[in-house]
């Protein structure tokens, strides 16, 4: 398929977009999609506004519960008034948490805000709650995840099909993995967020996802049939930066994808668990041809040193198991033949700074211009529905 090269600069005003809390959606017309296409953002975010962990912990554990509170324009998570979030993260939250629909308090306002921006449905990832990925007490961590999942399921039910929440699971203990996945499915959640940085196991060593010791966890994930979601945001800068540190951090966020992508393939995870499905979110799609090309070159260069041979060629793993989301990625769309129309999902990333909120109509029209209406419908709607198992 031929695609046209459209510079992302054509979408961006010279003065930038400003804070999301100051933007407004203004979808007004036909972007060229086939009639009846439901625009489904594959990657949005939601801030937790209610103090649900404290409220739902038993009385004898309330003093150990993480707290949620509002401060200086952001919903924070922490304990005893001390946030678990780094300063840069809190500053970013302040750019959008004042939007009517950005937090969990008003699902109707959220639906309306997205509708005005031309978005009909969404898959929503956490914001500040990610700070609880490495909550030190693992039993309490699982309790926190359970409460969060229940809250997302309630929002999902009240949204009447407009909102789908991403759940959280136990990844450090196979019995806990089975337990939390069963709970997740019973709640009606369709996918879960698996951290790129899994932290330390009970032995004090950093967990290696590709180790044989982790196979029982992957067995449970595979058996559940739920797709795995990975998201950028866990790769901090390797050294301090005096100026514009937020953007420096964002520029390296995708680094974690390449490591995990490599472990799935070269670490044998997908050979041992051939029914896994993986989604890569918010990292764009232009990294994919680059990663595939590098992986193919490394196979040719190092195969003689492998202590475990691959069962398939590199592109088999991508084509069979993986897909990725993007917001604005003209280069990725230019390379769509290398990636696959059915392997990419458009997203708004509402309400983040880098989201298309306020100009989603232009972003959607650019997808149509690059690949044509029918293929665009798959990218902005059909593929994420298939990923979540929502196709009729």
């Amino acid at each position: 398929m031929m695609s046209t090269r459209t510079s992302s600069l054509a979408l961006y005003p010279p003065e930038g977009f400003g804070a999301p809390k100051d933007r407004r959606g203004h979808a007004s017309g036909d972007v060229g999609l086939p009639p009846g296409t439901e625009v489904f953002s594959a990657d949005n975010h939601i801030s937790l506004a209610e103090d649900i962990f404290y409220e739902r912990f038993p009385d004898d554990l309330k003093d150990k519960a993480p707290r949620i509170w509002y401060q200086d324009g952001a919903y924070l998570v922490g304990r005893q008034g001390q946030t678990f979030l780094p300063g840069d993260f809190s500053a970013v939250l302040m750019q959008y948490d004042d939007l009517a629909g950005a937090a969990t308090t008003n699902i109707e306002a959220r639906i309306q805000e997205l509708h005005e921006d031309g978005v009909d449905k969404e898959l929503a990832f956490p914001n500040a709650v990610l700070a609880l990925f490495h909550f030190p007490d693992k039993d309490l961590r699982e309790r926190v995840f359970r409460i969060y999942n229940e809250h997302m399921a309630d929002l999902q039910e009240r949204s009447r099909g407009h909102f789908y929440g991403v759940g959280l699971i136990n990844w450090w203990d196979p019995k806990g993995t089975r337990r939390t996945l069963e709970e997740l499915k019973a709640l009606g959640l369709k996918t879960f967020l698996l951290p790129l940085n899994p932290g330390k196991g009970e032995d004090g060593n950093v967990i290696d996802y590709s180790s044989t010791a982790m196979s029982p966890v992957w067995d449970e994930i595979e058996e559940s049939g739920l797709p795995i979601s990975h998201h950028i945001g866990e790769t901090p800068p390797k050294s301090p930066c005096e100026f514009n540190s937020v953007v420096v951090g964002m520029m390296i966020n995708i680094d974690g994808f390449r490591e995990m992508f490599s472990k799935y393939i070269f670490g044998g995870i997908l050979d041992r668990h051939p029914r896994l499905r993986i989604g890569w979110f918010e990292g764009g799609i232009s990294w994919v041809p680059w990663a595939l090309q590098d992986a193919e070159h490394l196979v040719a260069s190092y195969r003689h040193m492998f202590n475990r041979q691959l069962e398939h060629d590199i592109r088999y793993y991508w084509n069979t198991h993986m897909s990725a989301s993007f917001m604005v990625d003209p280069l990725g769309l230019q390379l769509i033949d290398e990636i696959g129309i059915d392997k990419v999902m458009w997203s708004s990333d509402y309400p983040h700074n880098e989201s298309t909120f306020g100009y989603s109509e232009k972003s959607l029209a650019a997808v149509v211009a690059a690949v044509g209406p029918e293929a665009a419908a798959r990218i902005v709607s059909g593929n994420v529905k298939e990923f979540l198992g929502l196709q009729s």
Side-chain angles (χ1 to χ4, degrees):
M1 173 178 292
M2 296 296 293
S3 60
T4 58
R5 176 75 169 104
T6 304
S7 171
S8 58
L9 295 177
L11 297 173
Y12 305 149
E15 69 278 7
F17 290 110
K21 63 186 177 183
D22 298 323
R23 303 181 203 168
R24 293 295 178 270
H26 44 73
S28 57
D30 182 9
V31 298
L33 290 166
T37 302
E38 292 181 311
V39 175
F40 195 138
S41 173
D43 170 37
N44 283 1
H45 291 266
I46 193 162
S47 289
L48 190 58
E50 298 91 337
D51 198 15
I52 58 172
F53 306 121
Y54 182 79
E55 292 169 358
R56 301 185 191 184
F57 264 45
D59 289 343
D60 61 330
L61 292 177
K62 283 188 182 296
D63 62 322
K64 298 180 180 179
R67 303 298 301 267
I68 304 293
W69 72 95
Y70 181 83
Q71 179 178 318
D72 297 329
Y75 289 100
L76 304 179
V77 57
R79 204 160 55 186
Q80 298 176 339
Q82 297 295 314
T83 180
F84 294 156
L85 304 170
D88 280 353
F89 199 110
S90 298
V92 169
L93 292 172
M94 293 173 192
Q95 303 302 303
Y96 51 76
D97 269 354
D98 277 338
L99 274 167
T104 52
T105 45
N106 194 336
I107 191 67
E108 293 298 333
R110 184 179 181 91
I111 293 169
Q112 182 60 32
E113 219 154 42
L114 287 166
H115 173 73
E116 291 170 358
D117 199 44
V119 178
D120 302 303
K121 296 176 182 287
E122 62 171 325
L123 179 64
F125 288 79
N127 276 326
V129 172
L130 293 179
L132 303 178
F133 261 174
H134 302 295
F135 200 63
D137 186 315
K138 291 186 173 67
D139 289 337
L140 293 183
R141 187 194 302 171
E142 186 175 315
R143 182 184 291 271
V144 164
F145 290 0
R146 181 176 297 112
I147 292 170
Y148 182 79
N149 292 341
E150 290 169 350
H151 195 58
M152 288 300 104
D154 178 61
L155 290 177
Q156 186 169 298
E157 183 175 358
R158 289 195 281 123
S159 79
R160 306 178 307 281
H162 291 280
F163 173 95
Y164 293 88
V166 177
L168 306 173
I169 70 162
N170 176 329
W171 66 82
W172 55 90
D173 164 59
K175 291 182 180 178
T177 305
R178 174 185 293 185
R179 181 169 56 246
T180 50
L181 283 168
E182 288 176 348
E183 292 169 354
L184 204 74
K185 293 177 73 172
L187 288 168
L189 300 185
K190 305 300 183 182
T191 186
F192 59 91
L193 180 59
L194 193 65
L196 299 168
N197 301 317
K200 295 181 178 179
E202 295 299 330
D203 58 3
N205 295 319
V206 175
I207 293 172
D208 173 11
Y209 276 135
S210 65
S211 67
T212 53
M214 283 294 288
S215 280
V217 169
W218 292 114
D219 287 341
E220 298 298 343
I221 293 173
E222 184 177 33
E223 184 61 29
S224 76
L226 293 178
I228 302 158
S229 293
H230 292 297
H231 198 282
I232 65 167
E234 298 177 47
T235 308
K238 296 176 176 62
S239 61
C241 181
E242 182 177 354
F243 302 107
N244 296 327
S245 56
V246 170
V247 179
V248 172
M250 290 299 297
M251 284 290 290
I252 66 168
N253 259 327
I254 197 173
D255 286 2
F257 276 7
R258 283 178 70 96
E259 179 177 351
M260 192 67 211
F261 172 86
S262 301
K263 288 192 172 184
Y264 275 119
I265 297 174
F266 295 112
I269 296 171
L270 292 177
D271 283 340
R272 295 191 294 271
H273 307 280
R275 290 178 289 144
L276 293 179
R277 292 182 297 127
I278 303 115
W280 307 96
F281 292 89
E282 204 176 317
I285 56 176
S286 55
W287 69 274
V288 175
W290 177 31
L292 293 172
Q293 175 180 269
D294 283 356
E296 288 173 334
H297 181 66
L298 291 170
V299 168
S301 304
Y302 285 88
R303 188 191 296 271
H304 64 285
M305 294 180 64
F306 283 6
N307 60 6
R308 185 199 165 278
Q309 294 297 324
L310 304 186
E311 295 181 10
H312 304 280
D313 64 75
I314 293 297
R315 288 174 190 265
Y316 171 90
Y317 296 104
W318 171 259
N319 293 333
T320 304
H321 298 279
M322 302 183 188
S323 54
S325 80
F326 72 99
M327 292 93 74
V328 177
D329 197 336
L331 180 58
L333 291 173
Q334 185 183 20
L335 298 171
I336 197 68
D337 290 342
E338 296 291 321
I339 305 166
I341 289 289
D342 60 342
K343 310 303 292 180
V344 299
M345 302 172 282
W346 178 86
S347 65
S348 160
D349 194 36
Y350 167 94
H352 284 180
N353 273 51
E354 64 273 22
S355 75
T356 66
F357 179 60
Y359 69 100
S360 291
E361 194 172 39
K362 291 182 178 179
S363 176
L364 291 164
V367 176
V368 176
V371 301
E374 297 302 326
R378 291 164 65 185
I379 290 172
V380 309
S381 186
N383 291 342
V384 65
K385 290 180 180 179
E386 184 175 347
F387 178 79
L388 297 175
L390 299 174
Q391 292 283 41
S392 57

